[in-house]
Amino acid sequence: MKVLVINAGSSSLKYQLYDMTDETVLAKGLVERIGMDSSILTHKPTGKEEVTEVSEILEHTTAIRKVLEKLTDKEHGVLSSVDEIQAVGHRVVHGGETFKGSALVTPEVKAEIRRLFDLAPLHNPPAIMGINAAEVNMPGVPNVVAFDTAFHQTMEEKVYLYPIPKVLYKKHRIRRYGAHGTSHQYVSRVAAEFLNRPIEELKIITCHIGNGASLTAVKGGVSVDTSMGLTPLEGLMMGTRSGDLDPTVVTFVMNKEELSISEVNSMLNKHSGLLAISGSSSDMRDITDGWEAGKPNETLAFEMYEYRLRKYIGAYAAAMNGVDVIVFTAGVGENSAIVREKTCENLSYLGVELDKELNKVRSGEPRRISTPNSKVEILVIPTNEELMIARDTLQIVQESK
Ligand code: ADP
């Protein structure tokens, strides 16, 4: 079965086409600047040359039509006909409390995703546009939605509730939902497979650290706590997001600086984190370069980032009364040996022992970077949210038949 995975943003659309007989990627690509003049479609068929096309793409329906044209193109295509695509999987950011797993798209499911617009005003509307665009371009082909929040729906009430008036939860569903669920679930499963141990008996801390960053405590294969909250702002210090702070900072700053709600939201989401402390960049490569060169602002940014990451690892070891495995994944987690080294250096009290040489090895494969003596297995596992979505899509479509 061939499955197309779509990740639709407000002005972009990423895609990957899978042949699920052997889980290979046949082609992938990206449409950028949707709705602006000169949209860019970058199409990379496996084993063939990448092509870029600039044209006017005003909305998602046209974007998917162009993608399908590329996928069936004589020169750059990988399919003889669109009919070969038997299912489409969509990434959706917020599934609220309704979706505890991926789901087949029905009118009711779409209505529920729309109802959740309030909780993810920037992210859920484009997902609906992506689903509608797939339905228009591929009538009769089943669509499946996979939610970033679904994996975390196993958290207990004592974990997901905030200690604020309960009426706010009842009225507005204010609680911890978490994010990056597809990634945390994927890497925790791969970790258990890699170690050849049943996931049911493992306590795993998964560190998904990229531009956005979150940690999850995975006990017995389910999420028991995660660092992102009502929105993906809570928790770790990130590229441009603050992560945890005293909530009074918000009202204090709004008052003193006469900031509006959208201005303070923008400050915390786009102008904080590594960018704010370094004053130069949100990219960990620049931060570690600056740290190595002894630049004071980059050094402080790096130290704050590592300290906060380590504090959360300690918290989740406490939450699970121990930890067997720590997994590093996503842009920083997979690539930054120095972030991993510095973080693990101060986890010796947990019995963590990093093999510094193994830590420096680069490979796109799951690998162990701890010594044989380490009491905690330290793994680097490349995440693959698209594959996880494709697997869910295949399973749900087969079950629905
Ligand atoms: P997103 O959260 O947008 O999906 P990614 O998981 O792709 O992001 O992570 C992107 C980030 O990964 C970059 O901003 C950069 O900070 C970091 N990164 C990528 N490569 C490296 C590297 N070699 N060393 C350190 N950091 C890296």
Side-chain angles (χ1 to χ4, degrees), residues 184 187 203-207 215-218 312-318 320 322-328 350:
H184 289 294
V187 297
K203 295 171 182 173
I204 309 175
I205 297 176
T206 48
C207 311
L215 246 69
T216 297
V218 183
Y312 257 103
I313 293 175
Y316 285 177
M320 294 191 288
V323 52
D324 303 307
V325 190
I326 298 174
V327 179
F328 287 97
L350 286 173

Side-chain angles (χ1 to χ4, degrees), residues 180 208-212 282-285 288 330-332 335-336 362:
H180 297 141
H208 176 112
I209 44 177
N211 277 323
S282 62
D283 192 309
M284 186 50 87
R285 283 164 287 204
T288 45
V332 178
N335 297 302
S336 181
R362 281 182 161 271

Side-chain angles (χ1 to χ4, degrees), residues 94-140:
H94 222 300
E97 294 187 313
T98 318
F99 297 103
K100 303 189 191 312
S102 301
L104 191 69
V105 173
T106 61
E108 293 75 34
V109 164
K110 277 165 69 172
E112 189 57 24
I113 296 170
R114 282 202 194 89
R115 207 182 59 81
L116 295 164
F117 277 5
D118 248 8
L119 288 171
L122 298 179
H123 296 107
N124 273 18
I128 285 286
M129 291 193 272
I131 297 164
N132 288 341
E135 287 175 340
V136 169
N137 282 289
M138 289 170 275

Side-chain angles (χ1 to χ4, degrees), residues 180-324:
H180 297 141
T182 311
S183 175
H184 289 294
Q185 184 173 22
Y186 176 80
V187 297
S188 57
R189 283 185 187 179
V190 175
E193 280 164 26
F194 179 87
L195 297 168
N196 206 10
R197 288 178 63 184
I199 199 163
E200 293 73 22
E201 65 180 38
L202 290 174
K203 295 171 182 173
I204 309 175
I205 297 176
T206 48
C207 311
H208 176 112
I209 44 177
N211 277 323
S214 68
L215 246 69
T216 297
V218 183
K219 193 175 179 186
V222 301
S223 168
V224 294
D225 202 350
T226 194
S227 61
M228 283 179 167
L230 174 71
T231 73
L233 182 57
E234 191 178 343
L236 299 167
M237 176 171 169
M238 310 179 211
T240 61
R241 289 175 237 168
S242 64
D244 292 340
L245 42 77
D246 180 346
T248 309
V249 171
V250 178
T251 46
F252 192 89
V253 169
M254 286 177 85
N255 183 33
K256 289 279 180 203
E257 299 287 322
E258 297 181 11
L259 295 186
S260 66
I261 292 172
S262 79
E263 284 167 332
V264 80
N265 266 335
S266 166
M267 178 193 94
L268 296 170
N269 281 289
K270 298 186 179 150
H271 305 284
S272 295
L274 290 174
L275 177 65
I277 300 300
S278 70
S280 61
S281 174
S282 62
D283 192 309
M284 186 50 87
R285 283 164 287 204
D286 300 328
I287 302 301
T288 45
D289 285 352
W291 170 74
E292 275 164 18
K295 292 187 183 166
N297 294 339
E298 282 78 357
T299 301
L300 179 60
F302 179 77
E303 287 177 351
M304 284 175 68
Y305 186 96
E306 181 277 319
Y307 177 70
R308 285 174 167 242
L309 173 58
R310 183 155 43 90
K311 271 211 304 193
Y312 257 103
I313 293 175
Y316 285 177
M320 294 191 288
N321 189 17
V323 52
D324 303 307

